[in-house]
Amino acid sequence: MPATTSLNDFLAALDGLAERGAAAFAEVRDAETLEAARVEFLGAKSGALRDVQKHLGGIDKADKPAAGKRLNEVKQLLQAGFDAAAAALKSGEAVATGPVPDPTLPGTPLELGHIHPITQTIEHLKEIMGRMGFEAAEGPEVEDPWHNFVALNIPEDHPARDPLDNFYLATAAAQSAGEEGGLLLRSQTSTVQIRVMEARQPPVRVISLGRVYRPDAPDATHYPMFHQMEGLLVDRGITMANLKTVLRVFANNYLGEDVRIRFRPSFFPFTEPSVEVDFWWNDAWIEFGGAGMVDPAVLESVGYDPEQVTGFAFGLGVERLCMRRHGITDIRDLYSGDMRFLAQF
Ligand code: DAH
C-alpha cells in the first residue's frame, strides 16, 4: 500500500487478512502450527495484522474512525480464531493431520463369533447325560472346607488339603488375625455332590459341569483352571454295575462305539470301592477321571441312611474328553485366545 491509503484498500486488506487468518487457525492440529499462525497473523512485531495497522496513519482523517473500527473487529476475529484453536488443542479435539477419512469406503466387516469349544463340549455332555436322566446341577466356585473336603471324608491332615495344592482365599479378617481364610477356589466338582444331597432327598441323579482350580504349572495336559463333569446317582439298590454301564454308555455316545474303557482299582476318600477311569488313546491307556461307590461316611455327612440307599459317583476331565474327541494335543491351545485355533470348532 502507498503512503496514503484509501479506505477501500485498507478494508480490502483487512478482509483478506481475516479470511486467511481464520483458515490458518482452523487448520491448526498441534502446538507448533498454532504458534506459527499466531506469529504470522497476530505477531506484535511483524505479524500481518500489525503490517496492515501501520497503514492506518496514511488514511484520510474522515475515514479513520471506520478504518479503526474494522481494524479492531478483525483483530478480535483473529484473536477468537486463535483462542478456539488453542482450546480445541487442549481438549484433544484436534488430531494430528493425516489422510482425510473417506466416508464412502465400505466398513470393516464384523466377524461372527461362536461358542468356545469347551462350552460346546459341556453342552454336548449335558445332552448325552440328560438322555440317561441326569439333571444338571451347579455349585459355587468359591467353596468352604466343608463342601470341598470335610463332607467328602477328606480329613484335616489329608495331603489334598495342602495349601500348595489349593488356591486358598485369605479373608481380610482372617488375614489380620494371621489365620488362613478357609475359603478356597474349589479343587473338584465333587463339592456339588454334597450341595445337592444336602438340599434333596434320594433318589438323586445329577451331573455338574464346571470349573475347578489347582496350582499346577501349565503344560500340554495341565492347566491351573480346568473343567470337570461330576456325576452322582443315589437310590435304593445301586451297584458298581450301574456305574460301569452309565460310564460305558456315556463313552460310546461321546467318543464312539469303538472306544475302549478300563476301570482300574484306586482310592478316593469319598468312594469305596474306588476306580480310575481310563480310555485308550494314541496307543496308551490315559486316565480321564475317577469314580466309585459313594462312601457311607459321605452319605451320613449329608444325613442319608447308608442302610437304605447306595450310590455311585464319578468325575471326568472335560478338557481331556474334548481333546480326545477332537484330536487336540495341547490343553493350552484351548485358553490361548488364538483365533486361528478356536475358529476351527
Ligand atoms: N474329585 C476327584 C478329583 O478331582 C475325581 C473323582 C473321583 C470324582 C472319584 C468322583 C469320584 O466323583 O467318585 O480328582
Side-chain angles (χ1 to χ4, degrees), residues 3-345:
T4 58
T5 310
S6 79
L7 178 64
N8 279 348
D9 287 350
F10 188 80
L11 293 182
L14 281 177
D15 285 349
L17 177 60
E19 199 172 305
R20 280 183 289 120
F25 285 123
E27 264 170 33
V28 162
R29 291 292 181 273
D30 54 45
E32 262 171 39
T33 48
L34 176 66
E35 177 59 8
R38 188 193 65 78
V39 170
E40 184 181 346
F41 294 98
L42 291 165
K45 280 194 189 131
S46 58
L49 184 71
R50 176 85 195 147
D51 284 348
V52 177
Q53 192 177 358
K54 282 179 192 156
H55 295 282
L56 192 60
I59 283 186
D60 222 55
K61 205 171 170 209
D63 290 335
K64 265 196 186 145
K69 181 171 175 256
R70 182 64 186 147
L71 180 77
N72 269 332
E73 280 171 10
V74 171
K75 187 177 176 181
Q76 277 166 19
L77 210 114
L78 291 173
Q79 186 62 48
F82 170 84
D83 290 346
L89 258 194
K90 211 172 157 195
S91 73
E93 192 182 286
V95 287
T97 44
V100 180
D102 177 354
T104 66
L105 287 176
T108 314
L110 287 179
E111 265 185 60
L112 205 54
H114 70 285
I115 295 171
H116 190 278
I118 285 299
T119 310
Q120 291 184 37
T121 301
I122 287 173
E123 291 308 313
H124 193 178
L125 300 179
K126 276 187 191 166
E127 191 250 323
I128 292 172
M129 296 307 295
R131 279 189 263 138
M132 285 191 274
F134 286 81
E135 178 198 338
E138 280 190 31
E141 290 178 23
V142 173
E143 264 298 6
D144 51 52
W146 167 258
H147 292 94
N148 203 87
F149 301 122
V150 180
L152 287 162
N153 202 28
I154 303 174
E156 187 88 53
D157 55 356
H158 193 279
R161 298 180 65 159
D162 195 315
L164 292 177
D165 291 327
N166 293 281
F167 287 110
Y168 282 98
L169 309 177
T171 63
Q175 225 164 15
S176 63
E179 299 163 0
E180 239 159 46
L183 294 180
L184 74 161
L185 299 183
R186 68 179 178 191
S187 61
Q188 50 184 356
T189 46
S190 304
T191 53
V192 186
Q193 291 185 31
I194 303 303
R195 289 194 173 272
V196 168
M197 289 190 285
E198 281 174 336
R200 306 184 198 176
Q201 287 304 308
V204 295
R205 192 190 298 207
V206 294
I207 49 162
S208 187
L209 284 132
R211 281 185 274 264
V212 299
Y213 302 85
R214 292 176 196 176
D216 289 334
D219 63 23
T221 54
H222 294 88
Y223 208 75
M225 181 283 305
F226 60 101
H227 296 73
Q228 290 185 328
M229 173 167 73
E230 191 81 18
L232 174 71
L233 196 159
V234 182
D235 203 345
R236 288 179 188 277
I238 298 301
T239 71
M240 195 89 181
N242 301 124
L243 167 66
K244 291 175 73 175
T245 303
V246 164
L247 285 178
R248 186 176 296 280
V249 170
F250 161 72
N252 288 151
N253 271 272
Y254 186 65
L255 297 172
E257 287 299 329
D258 55 351
V259 69
R260 292 174 66 197
I261 183 169
R262 177 174 82 169
F263 300 98
R264 190 161 36 87
S266 185
F267 172 81
F268 296 101
F270 34 91
T271 44
E272 180 61 35
S274 306
V275 292
E276 267 167 75
V277 183
D278 300 340
F279 293 121
W280 187 253
W281 187 14
N282 291 338
D283 300 327
W285 286 110
I286 306 290
E287 185 209 323
F288 276 70
M293 298 305 293
V294 179
D295 196 293
V298 173
L299 295 175
E300 273 167 7
S301 77
V302 296
Y304 283 12
D305 181 357
E307 297 299 325
Q308 296 294 319
V309 290
T310 52
F312 68 74
F314 61 86
L316 300 176
V318 172
E319 278 77 359
R320 252 175 224 196
L321 289 168
C322 170
M323 289 165 74
R324 167 77 158 76
R325 184 178 158 95
H326 296 289
I328 298 167
T329 51
D330 194 322
I331 189 175
R332 291 168 295 192
D333 286 338
L334 288 165
Y335 299 116
S336 66
D338 188 336
M339 290 304 289
R340 292 168 305 180
F341 173 81
L342 293 173
Q344 299 173 66
F345 297 91

